[in-house]
Amino acid sequence: MATQDSPDRGLENADRPDLAEAGQASFDKIIAADSRIEPGDWMPDAYRKTLIRQISQHAHSEIIGMQPEGNWISRAPSLKRKAILMAKVQDEAGHGLYLYSAAETLGISRDVLNDQLLAGKARYSSIFNYPARNWADVGAIGWLVDGAAICNQVPLCRVSFGPYGRAMVRVCKEESFHQRQGFEILLELANGTKAQKQMAQDAVNSFYSPALMMFGPPDSDSAHSSQSISWNIKRFSNDELRQRFVGMIVEQVKVLGLTLPDHDIKFNEETGKWEYGELDWDEFNEVLAGRGPCNAQRLAHRREAHKNGAWVREAAAAYAAKKAKKEQVA
């Protein structure tokens, strides 16, 4: 742990202009070198707040994201599918814990973040406010939603904040498994009966646009992208990531024998970018504002789960207090 004698580490006293100036210089040097900021390093308040906002939203998304698929564990069509889906939902819980831990290194407690979520004051990914109506939707979530997550999260392995980047390495490895299982579900349905193939196509039609909107609003309407990119928190803009994702699924959907519900998709040879149809940003904003198909249900279930788990938290706290007391006596 560095002391105040070291100009590069542990400079957190903003009331001392000399320390703040040295801290800013050290921070700028680390960012310019594309290196890592660690929790003990001096960082601007705006950088810290941006990270808390982004990491907490990511953590909340993992926890809320357990609901659509968790609802299908008991209804999976085979024991194999049930086991795979249980593993996936368990992974999402673990991702949330990794990310809450990373956020805590920035000086905010997990309890505060959880309270913000339960109070409806915190955001999570808009995609999880759409229902999983049937087994094909579970496949579409795996292929499209987790595929979009991978496209967005792989660059985060190189994020400038150390704990966040290290957490993302494992998250991305597990998300790759999640996408493959979703693709396999759709592939099996697409090669099944006519009705099964239509079910798979309907699922792709339902989740295509919401998955593209997962990357956030257009760059022209994004309030945080440019600053986050300058701090090496984000590596690519929302639109750049969206274009990459479209290019990826355009080829994969051919293997499935299905189609994307967008006749405007094409590769522009002049710009070197994928183009796609206009998305319904009014719908996106409605969902963000809490008026999506499942917003109320998702929060209600999360609050109920938190309430039902109170006895576990109380028992763990009592055990910890008892153990600490014994250690003090010893």
Side-chain angles (χ1 to χ4, degrees):
M1 182 72 179
T3 67
Q4 292 183 351
D5 294 330
S6 171
D8 292 337
R9 303 289 179 187
L11 300 175
E12 301 174 355
N13 191 344
D15 295 332
R16 288 278 303 278
D18 56 333
L19 293 182
E21 184 176 346
Q24 183 69 60
S26 173
F27 175 85
D28 292 342
K29 182 179 179 181
I30 293 172
I31 296 299
D34 201 5
S35 189
R36 285 272 169 86
I37 302 293
E38 298 296 340
D41 295 344
W42 186 96
M43 64 186 75
D45 286 342
Y47 177 83
R48 185 186 303 273
K49 290 177 181 177
T50 295
L51 282 169
I52 290 174
R53 175 187 57 78
Q54 180 169 328
I55 297 173
S56 64
Q57 286 182 11
H58 194 166
H60 298 328
S61 298
E62 299 286 356
I63 298 302
I64 295 294
M66 297 165 64
Q67 292 187 31
E69 293 170 298
N71 189 41
W72 277 92
I73 290 175
S74 63
R75 295 181 286 167
S78 69
L79 184 60
K80 172 188 173 183
R81 293 297 182 189
K82 187 189 298 289
I84 292 172
L85 192 57
M86 286 177 66
K88 180 184 178 185
V89 172
Q90 179 177 278
D91 284 348
E92 305 295 2
H95 297 173
L97 294 178
Y98 305 153
L99 293 163
Y100 283 132
S101 295
E104 285 184 307
T105 67
L106 291 161
I108 189 168
S109 75
R110 193 174 309 189
D111 288 340
V112 169
L113 296 176
N114 189 56
D115 288 346
Q116 291 172 350
L117 175 61
L118 296 176
K121 296 179 179 178
R123 285 183 172 177
Y124 54 87
S125 180
S126 60
I127 191 68
F128 298 118
N129 289 312
Y130 291 86
R133 305 155 303 171
N134 53 46
W135 183 248
D137 282 354
V138 175
I141 290 172
W143 178 48
L144 290 173
V145 175
D146 292 318
I150 292 169
C151 196
N152 186 44
Q153 293 171 11
V154 166
L156 290 176
C157 294
R158 298 188 293 120
V159 69
S160 59
F161 185 59
Y164 192 17
R166 288 188 288 273
M168 291 313 304
V169 172
R170 179 166 181 174
V171 169
C172 288
K173 289 179 180 179
E174 292 175 349
E175 290 292 356
S176 295
F177 150 68
H178 299 170
Q179 187 198 25
R180 287 197 299 273
Q181 68 88 30
F183 186 86
E184 185 185 4
I185 289 172
L186 290 178
L187 185 62
E188 187 169 347
L189 289 171
N191 286 283
T193 66
K194 184 177 179 180
Q196 288 173 328
K197 183 171 184 178
Q198 186 59 53
M199 184 186 296
Q201 183 63 64
D202 290 344
V204 171
N205 293 348
S206 294
F207 280 92
Y208 169 75
S209 291
L212 262 62
M213 290 189 279
M214 281 178 64
F215 296 100
D219 292 345
S220 58
D221 297 331
S222 179
H224 306 289
S225 280
S226 59
Q227 181 62 78
S228 292
I229 289 174
S230 71
W231 280 331
N232 296 340
I233 295 174
K234 291 184 69 170
R235 297 290 177 166
F236 304 98
S237 72
N238 297 347
D239 288 338
E240 288 174 327
L241 290 169
R242 202 168 1 253
Q243 288 160 3
R244 286 184 171 206
F245 179 61
V246 168
M248 180 178 74
I249 62 176
V250 157
E251 297 304 320
Q252 293 177 354
V253 77
K254 296 177 183 177
V255 179
L256 291 173
L258 303 175
T259 59
L260 297 175
D262 187 345
H263 299 297
D264 295 325
I265 292 180
K266 63 178 182 295
F267 185 73
N268 189 318
E269 296 286 352
E270 293 183 2
T271 64
K273 297 179 180 179
W274 283 95
E275 297 177 354
Y276 44 86
E278 185 65 27
L279 298 172
D280 188 349
W281 294 109
D282 289 336
E283 175 185 325
F284 174 78
N285 290 322
E286 281 292 294
V287 175
L288 284 187
R291 295 185 288 271
C294 297
N295 291 64
Q297 181 186 38
R298 297 290 184 246
L299 280 180
H301 284 181
R302 182 68 198 121
R303 289 169 182 142
E304 184 67 17
H306 183 74
K307 179 182 177 182
N308 292 339
W311 70 272
V312 178
R313 296 190 298 276
E314 292 167 1
Y319 176 78
K322 183 177 180 180
K323 183 178 180 181
K325 187 175 182 180
K326 284 184 177 180
E327 290 176 349
Q328 287 179 352
V329 173

